[in-house]
Amino acid sequence: MIKVGITGQNGFIGQHLQRTLKLFPDNFKVVPFKKSFFDHDDQLKNFVESCDTIVHLAAINRHEDPQVIYDTNIELVQRLITACRNTNSSPHILISSSTQEERDNLYGKSKKDGRKALAKWAKEENAVFTGLVLPNVYGPFGKPFYNSVVATFCHQLTHGEQPEIHKDGQLDLIYVGNLADKIIDCINQKTDESNYELIITATIDDG
């Protein structure tokens, strides 16, 4: 049985992943996580020591000050690394990054720098690491104006609002259920790849 901890387990992706893992009680045990663990060293260390695998999904996507997004997301990664080092733990860590990595914004930079920091830790500790680079995720319970452009579009259409296209181009998507399945495949296979780009499951051409 693999003991899996999910930071951000109550978020969009985290909820779907947690529910899917619990469909296989003989294979996986979900280790409880609370966001307050990041504020209490002992609790975070206990969490890390309890896990064979950690899926790091905790992050902020929106804030009026982009620097807060960057600083917060990097700090969460550093706290996780510190907890692993302080407990001599080397779980298989997976992080969700984004194709936003290649765009000129601090959110994308925070995801890229966080992924690279964990890859460096894994190399130093001879640990397994999976850096998931995700396209836009859509599916049930996505939050408009926060974590799903599809949810935002649907919300605007159903509320009599006019959706706006800020940049023409192809929008690559992955369904959250497919994503949960893929993460579980990576857990089972111990996928060791610091820049693992997931295959898209749908596209929208805005052109």
Side-chain angles (χ1 to χ4, degrees), residues 127-145:
V128 177
F129 171 66
T130 312
L132 300 166
V133 181
L134 311 180
N136 291 274
V137 184
Y138 74 100
F141 310 114
K143 291 184 178 180
F145 308 103

mmCIF file of all heavy atoms in Angstrom, residues 127-145:
data_model
loop_
_atom_site.group_PDB
_atom_site.id
_atom_site.type_symbol
_atom_site.label_atom_id
_atom_site.label_comp_id
_atom_site.label_asym_id
_atom_site.label_seq_id
_atom_site.Cartn_x
_atom_site.Cartn_y
_atom_site.Cartn_z
ATOM 1 N N ALA A 127 16.172 11.057 -4.667
ATOM 2 C CA ALA A 127 14.740 10.789 -4.529
ATOM 3 C C ALA A 127 14.068 10.819 -5.899
ATOM 4 O O ALA A 127 14.593 11.391 -6.860
ATOM 5 C CB ALA A 127 14.094 11.820 -3.608
ATOM 6 N N VAL A 128 12.907 10.198 -5.969
ATOM 7 C CA VAL A 128 12.115 10.222 -7.199
ATOM 8 C C VAL A 128 11.306 11.518 -7.234
ATOM 9 O O VAL A 128 10.696 11.911 -6.238
ATOM 10 C CB VAL A 128 11.172 9.009 -7.269
ATOM 11 C CG1 VAL A 128 10.300 9.071 -8.525
ATOM 12 C CG2 VAL A 128 11.969 7.709 -7.236
ATOM 13 N N PHE A 129 11.315 12.180 -8.380
ATOM 14 C CA PHE A 129 10.591 13.439 -8.518
ATOM 15 C C PHE A 129 9.896 13.494 -9.869
ATOM 16 O O PHE A 129 10.478 13.136 -10.898
ATOM 17 C CB PHE A 129 11.536 14.635 -8.392
ATOM 18 C CG PHE A 129 10.896 15.949 -8.745
ATOM 19 C CD1 PHE A 129 9.881 16.469 -7.964
ATOM 20 C CD2 PHE A 129 11.301 16.654 -9.873
ATOM 21 C CE1 PHE A 129 9.270 17.676 -8.298
ATOM 22 C CE2 PHE A 129 10.704 17.856 -10.211
ATOM 23 C CZ PHE A 129 9.686 18.367 -9.415
ATOM 24 N N THR A 130 8.650 13.951 -9.862
ATOM 25 C CA THR A 130 7.886 14.126 -11.090
ATOM 26 C C THR A 130 7.407 15.563 -11.177
ATOM 27 O O THR A 130 6.593 16.002 -10.356
ATOM 28 C CB THR A 130 6.660 13.183 -11.132
ATOM 29 O OG1 THR A 130 7.045 11.860 -10.777
ATOM 30 C CG2 THR A 130 6.046 13.175 -12.525
ATOM 31 N N GLY A 131 7.929 16.300 -12.150
ATOM 32 C CA GLY A 131 7.510 17.681 -12.364
ATOM 33 C C GLY A 131 6.461 17.733 -13.457
ATOM 34 O O GLY A 131 6.790 17.737 -14.647
ATOM 35 N N LEU A 132 5.190 17.745 -13.068
ATOM 36 C CA LEU A 132 4.092 17.709 -14.028
ATOM 37 C C LEU A 132 3.841 19.094 -14.609
ATOM 38 O O LEU A 132 3.540 20.033 -13.871
ATOM 39 C CB LEU A 132 2.820 17.214 -13.339
ATOM 40 C CG LEU A 132 2.878 15.804 -12.728
ATOM 41 C CD1 LEU A 132 1.691 15.595 -11.798
ATOM 42 C CD2 LEU A 132 2.887 14.758 -13.830
ATOM 43 N N VAL A 133 3.957 19.229 -15.896
ATOM 44 C CA VAL A 133 3.670 20.495 -16.575
ATOM 45 C C VAL A 133 2.306 20.345 -17.251
ATOM 46 O O VAL A 133 2.163 19.603 -18.218
ATOM 47 C CB VAL A 133 4.767 20.847 -17.602
ATOM 48 C CG1 VAL A 133 4.443 22.179 -18.274
ATOM 49 C CG2 VAL A 133 6.124 20.919 -16.921
ATOM 50 N N LEU A 134 1.311 21.054 -16.699
ATOM 51 C CA LEU A 134 -0.073 20.831 -17.080
ATOM 52 C C LEU A 134 -0.584 21.894 -18.042
ATOM 53 O O LEU A 134 -0.300 23.081 -17.867
ATOM 54 C CB LEU A 134 -0.973 20.846 -15.839
ATOM 55 C CG LEU A 134 -0.547 20.003 -14.646
ATOM 56 C CD1 LEU A 134 -1.582 20.155 -13.528
ATOM 57 C CD2 LEU A 134 -0.376 18.545 -15.024
ATOM 58 N N PRO A 135 -1.396 21.477 -19.018
ATOM 59 C CA PRO A 135 -2.174 22.461 -19.777
ATOM 60 C C PRO A 135 -3.334 22.941 -18.905
ATOM 61 O O PRO A 135 -3.420 22.598 -17.719
ATOM 62 C CB PRO A 135 -2.672 21.648 -20.983
ATOM 63 C CG PRO A 135 -2.750 20.243 -20.471
ATOM 64 C CD PRO A 135 -1.623 20.103 -19.464
ATOM 65 N N ASN A 136 -4.224 23.726 -19.446
ATOM 66 C CA ASN A 136 -5.385 24.197 -18.683
ATOM 67 C C ASN A 136 -6.261 23.007 -18.279
ATOM 68 O O ASN A 136 -6.565 22.147 -19.106
ATOM 69 C CB ASN A 136 -6.206 25.168 -19.521
ATOM 70 C CG ASN A 136 -5.493 26.480 -19.755
ATOM 71 O OD1 ASN A 136 -5.570 27.379 -18.933
ATOM 72 N ND2 ASN A 136 -4.769 26.586 -20.871
ATOM 73 N N VAL A 137 -6.651 22.982 -17.017
ATOM 74 C CA VAL A 137 -7.449 21.878 -16.482
ATOM 75 C C VAL A 137 -8.915 22.302 -16.423
ATOM 76 O O VAL A 137 -9.233 23.426 -16.012
ATOM 77 C CB VAL A 137 -6.957 21.479 -15.082
ATOM 78 C CG1 VAL A 137 -7.734 20.266 -14.569
ATOM 79 C CG2 VAL A 137 -5.452 21.178 -15.104
ATOM 80 N N TYR A 138 -9.817 21.401 -16.824
ATOM 81 C CA TYR A 138 -11.243 21.705 -16.762
ATOM 82 C C TYR A 138 -11.994 20.493 -16.225
ATOM 83 O O TYR A 138 -11.480 19.372 -16.212
ATOM 84 C CB TYR A 138 -11.782 22.100 -18.133
ATOM 85 C CG TYR A 138 -11.952 20.951 -19.101
ATOM 86 C CD1 TYR A 138 -13.200 20.372 -19.326
ATOM 87 C CD2 TYR A 138 -10.847 20.429 -19.795
ATOM 88 C CE1 TYR A 138 -13.353 19.308 -20.215
ATOM 89 C CE2 TYR A 138 -10.997 19.372 -20.676
ATOM 90 C CZ TYR A 138 -12.245 18.814 -20.881
ATOM 91 O OH TYR A 138 -12.393 17.760 -21.743
ATOM 92 N N GLY A 139 -13.216 20.736 -15.782
ATOM 93 C CA GLY A 139 -14.040 19.642 -15.281
ATOM 94 C C GLY A 139 -14.929 20.100 -14.143
ATOM 95 O O GLY A 139 -14.963 21.290 -13.800
ATOM 96 N N PRO A 140 -15.679 19.175 -13.533
ATOM 97 C CA PRO A 140 -16.607 19.524 -12.460
ATOM 98 C C PRO A 140 -15.914 20.220 -11.294
ATOM 99 O O PRO A 140 -14.803 19.845 -10.915
ATOM 100 C CB PRO A 140 -17.170 18.165 -12.021
ATOM 101 C CG PRO A 140 -16.961 17.263 -13.187
ATOM 102 C CD PRO A 140 -15.704 17.727 -13.838
ATOM 103 N N PHE A 141 -16.587 21.227 -10.752
ATOM 104 C CA PHE A 141 -16.149 21.969 -9.565
ATOM 105 C C PHE A 141 -14.979 22.918 -9.828
ATOM 106 O O PHE A 141 -14.383 23.429 -8.878
ATOM 107 C CB PHE A 141 -15.813 21.021 -8.398
ATOM 108 C CG PHE A 141 -16.885 20.013 -8.129
ATOM 109 C CD1 PHE A 141 -16.666 18.661 -8.338
ATOM 110 C CD2 PHE A 141 -18.146 20.424 -7.706
ATOM 111 C CE1 PHE A 141 -17.666 17.722 -8.105
ATOM 112 C CE2 PHE A 141 -19.150 19.498 -7.473
ATOM 113 C CZ PHE A 141 -18.917 18.141 -7.672
ATOM 114 N N GLY A 142 -14.681 23.182 -11.086
ATOM 115 C CA GLY A 142 -13.720 24.235 -11.381
ATOM 116 C C GLY A 142 -14.307 25.582 -10.981
ATOM 117 O O GLY A 142 -15.518 25.812 -11.124
ATOM 118 N N LYS A 143 -13.487 26.489 -10.485
ATOM 119 C CA LYS A 143 -13.957 27.784 -10.002
ATOM 120 C C LYS A 143 -13.764 28.867 -11.068
ATOM 121 O O LYS A 143 -12.642 29.081 -11.530
ATOM 122 C CB LYS A 143 -13.210 28.191 -8.731
ATOM 123 C CG LYS A 143 -13.539 27.344 -7.516
ATOM 124 C CD LYS A 143 -12.836 27.883 -6.285
ATOM 125 C CE LYS A 143 -13.189 27.072 -5.045
ATOM 126 N NZ LYS A 143 -12.504 27.609 -3.837
ATOM 127 N N PRO A 144 -14.845 29.546 -11.428
ATOM 128 C CA PRO A 144 -14.711 30.651 -12.391
ATOM 129 C C PRO A 144 -13.776 31.736 -11.853
ATOM 130 O O PRO A 144 -13.761 32.010 -10.653
ATOM 131 C CB PRO A 144 -16.147 31.177 -12.511
ATOM 132 C CG PRO A 144 -17.023 30.066 -12.040
ATOM 133 C CD PRO A 144 -16.235 29.332 -11.005
ATOM 134 N N PHE A 145 -12.998 32.303 -12.752
ATOM 135 C CA PHE A 145 -12.087 33.407 -12.434
ATOM 136 C C PHE A 145 -10.989 32.991 -11.451
ATOM 137 O O PHE A 145 -10.344 33.852 -10.846
ATOM 138 C CB PHE A 145 -12.851 34.619 -11.874
ATOM 139 C CG PHE A 145 -13.990 35.058 -12.734
ATOM 140 C CD1 PHE A 145 -15.298 34.746 -12.393
ATOM 141 C CD2 PHE A 145 -13.757 35.762 -13.916
ATOM 142 C CE1 PHE A 145 -16.353 35.142 -13.201
ATOM 143 C CE2 PHE A 145 -14.805 36.162 -14.727
ATOM 144 C CZ PHE A 145 -16.106 35.844 -14.369
#
